[in-house]
């Protein structure tokens, strides 16, 4: 989200405002932000229209969160079968029925699909139109319907929730070799009997790491190419190094500090050329996945014609309003985070401000934003990382507990990783937390709750945690903080008191 001056509705003065409106709200895009916005509007008894050109549920349901987690689960089972000796069982090389794995992915999507369906939202009171929307003026939207024809609607407010799409790097020859993305691979690879034999994954961020590990576990020979010095550059180095070690253990060849410079086909074989410190080499492959990030969908909606700035995202103010106060944006298209849960979070502010902004507006709150990468081990974080705190010169203390010392993790054979908490020096106020390990994304919720409501590590320490569970790691790190802050003088007095009590 980029900030802009939205101090007056006078920006609409060049346009003729309708005397009456067909709708209270039109929402463009039926991903997380759009669905939540429409849901809230319908709950507030507004007349709301939701417009989607492609699939209901957006990227998360159809191409991102849901299918990737289904794939990760199958890959994890294959990994456990290979390493069953850890649990006293005979290891076996799994026979990966790749087409069945992909069919399961699509079945999972289909099972969740009704939650986001046209039928459900219609039953909630939302009008759903399937087609392409374009803003004609600040209050008028024209819809080119998928089944033919068009429709024009006027509305008091509009929410732009058009999401994002994979960014494909402009590498010479990449179109020639026929790349895959996190959007296209689910359909393109659906009927293959086996995973691609030689797979190149471009990108060392969350999507790249999740896909690289999963395909390696399902039988692909994976080469992961990352231009940065290491994987997962947004996370602390100690967290990223554990993930990289796990990927390498699974057979992924990780090439950091390598820049992809060209692609091509020679004698029927696809290749990619990489540059490592001036030394170039070619790598042959069967399939390549571009997973270097996602770019907001900004074009074709008439935003530029209305003077709304669209650079990397739609420019909005702290209330998620654009240049025209009745046009708002939420989700990936607004930034600053590209997470499904943040899109849903923003949607509340966008919908309330769109419907009731004339009475009271609410600033979008980004004070406590969690996220997770679902590799094995998982990496989850909320608030400041240690690297960020150092870079920004924010005073902090670091308390760390190694999950390798946790009873449940030892029993489960998952004794690796850590919980790391940053606090205000001398106080238990939490500035940030990073968890690396089994179910890190689930375990993080306790720190998210504590930060959101102003609770410190003392409150976590004073909360009963079931034994033996992985969640005890949170209490353990809080206990470590307490031990590190024991008052030595008072401890000395306590020792003398106990000695006196013995007579």
């Amino acid at each position: 989200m980029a900030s802009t001056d939205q101090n007056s509705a006078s920006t609409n003065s060049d346009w003729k405002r309708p005397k009456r409106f067909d709708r209270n709200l039109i929402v463009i895009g039926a991903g997380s932000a759009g669905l939540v916005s429409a849901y809230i509007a319908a709950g507030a008894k507004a007349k709301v229209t939701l417009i989607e050109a492609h699939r209901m549920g957006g990227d998360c349901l159809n191409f991102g969160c849901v299918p990737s987690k289904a794939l990760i689960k199958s890959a994890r089972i294959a990994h456990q079968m290979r390493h069953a000796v850890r649990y006293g069982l005979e290891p076996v090389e799994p026979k990966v029925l790749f087409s069945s794995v992909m069919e399961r992915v699509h079945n999972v999507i289909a099972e969740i699909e009704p939650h986001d369906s046209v039928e459900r939202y219609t039953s909630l009171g939302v009008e759903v139109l399937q087609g392409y929307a374009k803003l004609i003026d600040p209050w008028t939207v024209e819809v080119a319907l998928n089944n033919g024809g068009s429709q024009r609607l006027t509305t008091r407010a509009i929410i732009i929730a058009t999401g994002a799409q994979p960014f494909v790097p402009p590498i010479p020859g990449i179109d020639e070799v026929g790349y895959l993305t996190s959007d296209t691979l689910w359909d393109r690879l659906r009927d293959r009997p086996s995973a691609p034999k030689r797979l190149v994954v471009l990108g060392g961020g969350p999507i790249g790491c999740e896909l690289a590990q999963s395909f390696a576990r399902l039988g692909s020979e994976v080469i992961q190419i990352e231009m940065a010095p290491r994987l997962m550059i947004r996370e602390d180095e100690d967290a990223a190094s554990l993930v990289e070690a796990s990927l390498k253990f699974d057979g992924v060849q990780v090439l950091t500090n390598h820049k992809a410079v060209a692609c091509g086909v020679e004698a029927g074989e696809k290749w990619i050329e990489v540059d490592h410190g001036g030394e170039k080499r070619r790598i042959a492959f069967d399939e390549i996945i571009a997973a270097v990030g996602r770019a907001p969908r900004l074009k074709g909606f008439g935003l530029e014609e209305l003077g709304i700035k669209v650079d990397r995202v739609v420019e909005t103010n702290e209330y998620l309003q654009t240049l025209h106060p009745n046009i708002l944006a939420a989700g990936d298209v607004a930034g600053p985070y590209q997470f499904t849960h943040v899109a849903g979070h923003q949607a509340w502010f966008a919908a309330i401000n769109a419907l009731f902004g004339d009475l009271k507006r609410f600033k979008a709150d980004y004070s406590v934003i969690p996220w997770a990468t679902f590799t094995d081990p998982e990496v989850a974080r909320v608030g400041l990382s240690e690297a960020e705190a150092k870079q920004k010169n924010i005073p902090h203390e670091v308390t760390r507990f190694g999950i390798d010392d946790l009873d449940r993790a030892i029993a489960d054979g998952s004794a690796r990783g850590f919980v790391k908490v940053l606090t205000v020096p001398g106080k238990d106020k939490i500035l940030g937390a990073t968890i690396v390990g089994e179910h890190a994304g689930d375990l993080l919720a306790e720190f998210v709750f504590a930060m959101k409501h102003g609770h410190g590590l003392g409150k976590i320490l004073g909360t009963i945690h079931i034994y033996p569970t992985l969640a005890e790691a949170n209490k353990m790190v809080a206990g470590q903080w307490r031990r590190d802050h024991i008052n030595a003088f008072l401890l000395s007095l306590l020792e003398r008191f106990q000695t006196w009590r013995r007579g």
Side-chain angles (χ1 to χ4, degrees):
M1 179 186 71
S3 64
T4 186
D5 182 16
Q6 313 284 355
N7 53 18
S8 171
S10 63
T11 51
N12 288 341
S13 60
D14 294 336
W15 308 90
K16 186 176 179 180
R17 187 177 188 268
K19 293 181 180 180
R20 295 182 69 256
F21 299 95
D22 301 318
R23 304 288 183 269
N24 296 100
L25 179 65
I26 288 179
V27 181
I28 303 175
S32 177
L35 291 170
V36 174
S37 296
Y39 182 93
I40 291 170
K45 301 305 178 183
K47 192 169 185 180
V48 55
T49 295
L50 176 64
I51 303 168
E52 172 57 50
H54 196 202
R55 299 180 185 177
M56 293 286 287
D59 298 328
C60 183
L61 171 63
N62 298 291
F63 313 118
C65 317
V66 170
S68 66
K69 302 312 162 285
L71 184 77
I72 286 168
K73 181 65 176 182
S74 294
R76 186 180 182 87
I77 297 298
H79 172 83
Q80 290 174 334
M81 291 171 67
R82 289 189 187 96
H83 302 283
V85 69
R86 296 175 180 174
Y87 308 98
L89 305 174
E90 184 176 350
V92 59
E93 182 61 33
K95 183 179 180 181
V96 178
L97 307 173
F98 189 73
S99 60
S100 297
V101 170
M102 296 301 282
E103 191 62 28
R104 176 181 176 273
V105 168
H106 285 276
N107 289 340
V108 169
I109 294 171
E111 191 168 340
I112 296 174
E113 213 166 30
H115 302 170
D116 301 340
S117 65
V118 171
E119 292 76 15
R120 181 185 178 220
Y121 274 78
T122 300
S123 73
L124 293 170
V126 177
E127 178 191 39
V128 180
L129 298 181
Q130 298 195 282
Y132 292 83
K134 183 174 182 179
L135 278 63
I136 304 303
D137 62 40
W139 305 278
T140 306
V141 176
E142 184 171 82
V143 187
L145 299 169
N146 289 351
N147 60 3
S150 64
Q151 187 172 351
R152 279 197 179 194
L153 296 170
T154 58
T155 178
R156 288 190 64 90
I158 299 167
I159 294 177
I160 309 297
T162 52
Q165 58 195 1
F167 172 74
V168 180
I171 302 169
I174 193 167
D175 290 328
E176 182 185 355
V177 298
Y179 59 86
L180 300 169
T181 69
S182 56
D183 279 13
T184 63
L185 70 87
W186 312 109
D187 287 330
R188 293 265 297 275
L189 301 182
R190 182 171 185 169
D191 298 322
R192 293 186 60 137
S194 60
K197 179 170 175 54
R198 299 171 301 176
L199 177 67
V200 166
V201 176
L202 290 177
I207 297 173
C209 288
E210 289 178 5
L211 292 176
Q213 185 174 50
S214 294
F215 276 96
R217 289 179 165 186
L218 292 171
S220 294
E221 298 170 10
V222 179
I223 296 179
Q224 188 175 11
I225 300 171
E226 170 54 52
M227 198 164 58
R230 61 178 177 83
L231 300 179
M232 298 178 67
I233 202 69
R234 293 182 64 188
E235 305 297 344
D236 281 336
E237 189 168 356
D238 52 0
S241 65
L242 282 176
V243 173
E244 183 170 333
S246 182
L247 263 63
K248 289 179 176 178
F249 180 81
D250 284 320
V252 178
Q253 185 179 347
V254 178
L255 302 180
T256 52
N257 274 320
H258 282 69
K259 181 179 180 180
V261 294
C263 294
V265 181
E266 187 173 324
E269 185 167 74
K270 301 175 183 179
W271 55 263
I272 184 169
E273 186 172 84
V274 293
D275 186 321
H276 178 55
E279 181 180 338
K280 295 182 179 180
R281 69 175 174 122
R282 287 186 176 182
I283 300 167
F285 66 87
D286 299 307
E287 297 286 358
I288 185 169
I289 299 175
V292 297
R294 298 179 68 81
R297 294 186 179 93
L298 302 170
K299 303 297 182 182
F301 305 104
L303 301 177
E304 301 94 331
E305 289 86 342
L306 298 185
I308 297 172
K309 292 184 179 179
V310 289
D311 183 13
R312 296 180 61 186
V313 293
V314 175
E315 188 173 283
T316 64
N317 65 7
E318 55 200 353
Y319 302 103
L320 298 171
Q321 295 171 303
T322 68
L323 177 69
H324 303 277
N326 69 307
I327 302 176
L328 302 92
D332 290 357
V333 76
Y337 302 96
Q338 291 188 345
F339 304 126
T340 297
H341 48 281
V342 176
H345 176 69
Q346 284 182 324
W348 185 91
F349 293 93
I352 295 300
N353 290 337
L355 296 171
F356 306 108
D358 293 341
L359 304 174
K360 183 174 176 58
R361 296 182 300 172
F362 295 86
K363 295 179 181 179
D365 178 14
Y366 304 110
S367 58
V368 183
I369 299 294
W371 64 78
T373 300
F374 296 93
T375 46
D376 182 13
E378 291 181 10
V379 179
R381 174 156 72 92
V382 61
L384 281 176
S385 70
E386 187 177 2
E388 285 176 342
K390 290 177 180 177
Q391 182 182 9
K392 297 176 182 178
N393 294 316
I394 297 174
H396 65 281
E397 292 181 3
V398 177
T399 305
R400 184 184 178 110
F401 172 75
I403 291 176
D404 58 330
D405 202 32
L406 186 69
D407 292 2
R408 178 58 185 270
I410 294 169
D412 283 354
S414 60
R416 57 175 175 167
F418 58 83
V419 181
K420 178 169 61 173
V421 182
L422 276 67
T423 50
V424 173
K427 299 182 179 180
D428 72 341
K429 181 179 179 181
I430 303 167
L431 298 174
T434 297
I435 304 179
V436 182
E438 190 100 346
H439 295 296
D442 298 308
L443 299 179
L444 189 73
E446 189 167 17
F447 291 107
V448 178
F449 180 84
M451 290 181 67
K452 177 66 177 177
H453 297 285
H455 300 313
L457 288 177
K459 293 289 187 181
I460 293 177
L461 181 61
T463 300
I464 297 174
H465 292 67
I466 295 172
Y467 178 89
T469 60
L470 296 176
E472 281 191 297
N474 296 344
K475 183 170 184 173
M476 293 295 188
V477 77
Q480 183 61 53
W481 181 90
R482 175 61 66 197
R483 288 191 293 275
D484 292 343
H485 291 81
I486 290 175
N487 187 306
F489 175 71
L490 290 178
L491 198 64
S492 174
L493 288 179
L494 184 62
E495 184 178 17
R496 290 166 62 185
F497 172 74
Q498 296 294 356
T499 300
W500 173 78
R501 292 269 290 175
R502 292 195 300 271

